[in-house]
Amino acid sequence: MTKRLAEIISPLVPVVVFFFMVNESNGSISVGKVTFYFLFPAFFSYLSFFLLGLPLINYLKRKNYYNLVTLILGGSIAGLIAIYIVFVVIGFLLGSFTTTNFFELKTSLWGIKSGAAVSFTYWLIDKLKIE
């Protein structure tokens, strides 16, 4: 039960933080903003979690390396990889992919922090004993 709950909730953490950061600076909330700043990042967050995060978690558990430190380190790397894949996909879809801002520190840190936040949240929920 807690594993499924962790899989549902943890990918939403960076999405919610991003959503409130954007809306705090932009003011009012509209349907278009919710779609663009919540649903779009949520799609990529869940996709990244299921393609990168779950295999990482399963590997760590199988090798008996599953603990908070290894999960956050692995999640940070997965978040970094995921953010660049998202930027590449968005760039190609919009036809405006350039490498000038591709390796910005701000982008890298957002990916690392997002991966760490998802990992930490997953670990916290996974350690709860909910029946």
Side-chain angles (χ1 to χ4, degrees):
M1 174 72 171
T2 57
K3 181 181 177 193
R4 294 290 174 232
L5 190 62
E7 291 171 357
I8 293 168
I9 294 174
S10 60
L12 283 178
V13 171
V15 175
V16 170
V17 170
F18 176 72
F19 180 74
F20 284 111
M21 281 176 30
V22 168
N23 283 313
E24 185 177 309
S25 63
N26 289 343
S28 66
I29 297 174
S30 66
V31 175
K33 282 185 181 180
V34 170
T35 302
F36 188 74
Y37 293 119
F38 189 80
L39 296 179
F40 188 67
F43 170 76
F44 281 108
S45 183
Y46 277 104
L47 185 65
S48 301
F49 177 74
F50 286 110
L51 292 179
L52 298 172
L54 276 183
L56 171 70
I57 291 165
N58 291 333
Y59 175 79
L60 291 174
K61 285 183 176 180
R62 195 171 54 245
K63 297 291 185 181
N64 288 327
Y65 292 133
Y66 182 74
N67 60 53
L68 181 60
V69 173
T70 58
L71 190 61
I72 288 180
L73 286 174
S76 297
I77 294 168
L80 181 64
I81 293 167
I83 197 84
Y84 284 120
I85 290 172
V86 168
F87 271 78
V88 168
V89 168
I90 291 171
F92 281 122
L93 288 176
L94 296 176
S96 63
F97 178 75
T98 62
T99 57
T100 54
N101 295 330
F102 187 64
F103 290 106
E104 269 189 5
L105 180 61
K106 188 167 86 172
T107 304
S108 300
L109 289 176
W110 179 254
I112 290 168
K113 290 187 292 187
S114 296
V118 170
S119 300
F120 181 70
T121 306
Y122 183 92
W123 184 82
L124 276 178
I125 295 170
D126 190 37
K127 292 300 173 185
L128 294 174
K129 300 298 178 204
I130 301 173
E131 294 294 323

